Amino acid sequence: MRVLIAGSGGLLGTALTGRLRESGHEVRRLVRRTAQASDESGWDPPSGRIDDGAFDGIDAVVNLCGAPLLPGRWSGMRKQQLLDSRVEPTEVLAEAVAEHGIGVLVNASAVGYYGNSGSTVVDENTKAGNGFLAEMCTEWEAATAAATNARVVSIRTGLVLARQGGLLDVLRPLFRFALGGRLGDGSQYMPWIALDDEIGALVHILEHDSLSGPVNLTGPIPVTNAEFTHALGHAVQRPAPWWVPEIAMKIALGQAAEEMALYGQRAVPRKLEASGYEFRHRTVDSALAAAT
């Protein structure tokens, strides 16, 4: 396949580009500057501008665009920036996919779609939850609407565990100095996925026409924050005796702390497994061992 990736410079985009090329696919990249390499095309989502020829011969588009949710509090202005950084690029790409007759659009989303689901297992048939993240993900996925003739997949990704980059870049140093601990009472579920499986699942989605609509990209065995804390402490061979009170997190980060750390989703990858994908890391212990 010839795949066009938007957001290719981040953790997921870099890894996906490498894996696709290793698998024999051709990758082109959309960049928000003047194109400098032979595999690049420039674009500017707010204005809707895309270099001529960017979609020539393209079989599938993967959109991984989105500003980081942390650090910082979510002011009204910040929420709008987070929303715009996701919805604007998606709308532009969905319209281009329709205009150029491209068959596949794989678009980023997140398990935040489900809000705070507590201990209830959620899958792709579960309705959207409440809160800013749930509302943002709902608008994000709806922004693909223009791609009416394409196979559209919204990947609801969990917390990606990688050796470099992502969540563990923040947590690993704390745990290695025995400063790690659970957040709040630790009962909230943390929908994790190993980077190796996140990228493997993306390639699987591109190569298997049977998958469409929302697809959860999460590890098959969800764990609570307390269980994750214990597993990460074991992986770095350090105790994790501490805990961070809910009130302290809310004072420091407000709604961002509540939805990013205290809310939880017991999400399972039902559609992905039903399609035949086999996880390389089925447990959080296996994923953390590979990432630490």
Side-chain angles (χ1 to χ4, degrees):
M1 300 176 71
R2 180 176 291 177
V3 182
L4 181 67
I5 301 179
S8 63
L11 173 65
L12 300 186
T14 300
L16 178 60
T17 298
R19 182 75 65 84
L20 285 170
R21 287 173 172 164
E22 289 172 2
S23 300
H25 302 294
E26 181 181 342
V27 177
R28 293 194 57 82
R29 299 177 294 136
L30 283 177
V31 296
R32 301 194 195 202
R33 52 171 170 75
T34 301
Q36 298 173 349
S38 61
D39 67 342
E40 294 181 347
S41 295
W43 75 319
D44 179 52
S47 69
R49 181 192 63 79
I50 305 177
D51 285 354
D52 291 340
F55 295 93
D56 290 352
I58 295 297
D59 300 302
V61 173
V62 178
N63 175 27
L64 301 173
C65 293
L69 295 170
L70 292 174
R73 299 177 71 91
W74 290 347
S75 64
M77 181 179 296
R78 179 59 178 158
K79 286 181 179 180
Q80 192 62 51
Q81 290 172 339
L82 293 172
L83 181 63
D84 290 346
S85 72
R86 289 161 171 78
V87 172
E88 280 184 350
T90 300
E91 289 177 338
V92 171
L93 289 173
E95 290 172 3
V97 163
E99 178 184 349
H100 294 274
I102 295 168
V104 182
L105 172 60
V106 178
N107 202 73
S109 185
V111 290
Y113 175 90
Y114 302 110
N116 186 17
S117 66
S119 60
T120 301
V121 174
V122 294
D123 63 17
E124 295 86 355
N125 292 318
T126 304
K127 294 181 179 179
N130 298 314
F132 168 67
L133 289 182
E135 293 171 1
M136 183 182 71
C137 289
T138 299
E139 290 193 46
W140 196 0
E141 294 182 15
T144 64
T148 52
N149 294 322
R151 176 171 66 93
V152 178
V153 182
S154 295
I155 52 168
R156 294 175 181 166
T157 296
L159 300 166
V160 179
L161 306 181
R163 185 172 292 276
Q164 292 183 323
L167 175 69
L168 292 183
D169 268 5
V170 177
L171 296 183
R172 195 183 292 108
L174 294 174
F175 276 71
R176 282 180 173 160
F177 284 99
L179 297 175
R182 60 182 169 83
L183 305 178
D185 66 10
S187 65
Q188 66 275 30
Y189 274 83
M190 293 180 64
W192 61 274
I193 185 169
L195 177 62
D196 203 19
D197 280 313
E198 173 80 8
I199 302 308
L202 280 167
V203 175
H204 178 85
I205 288 168
L206 287 168
E207 294 179 342
H208 288 74
D209 292 342
S210 61
L211 283 165
S212 64
V215 177
N216 288 345
L217 296 196
T218 59
I221 305 176
V223 296
T224 64
N225 173 258
E227 292 168 332
F228 180 89
T229 298
H230 176 78
L232 181 52
H234 182 265
V236 299
Q237 299 181 332
R238 293 290 188 276
W242 310 107
W243 69 283
V244 182
E246 287 188 22
I247 187 63
M249 298 179 66
K250 291 178 180 178
I251 290 172
L253 291 173
Q255 185 181 5
E258 187 171 43
E259 294 203 27
M260 291 292 293
L262 300 175
Y263 280 11
Q265 301 85 26
R266 194 175 182 179
V268 294
R270 204 174 304 280
K271 285 175 69 173
L272 186 62
E273 288 201 290
S275 73
Y277 181 76
E278 296 185 6
F279 279 85
R280 301 178 186 184
H281 301 285
R282 293 193 59 83
T283 68
V284 72
D285 293 296
S286 173
L288 288 171
T292 55

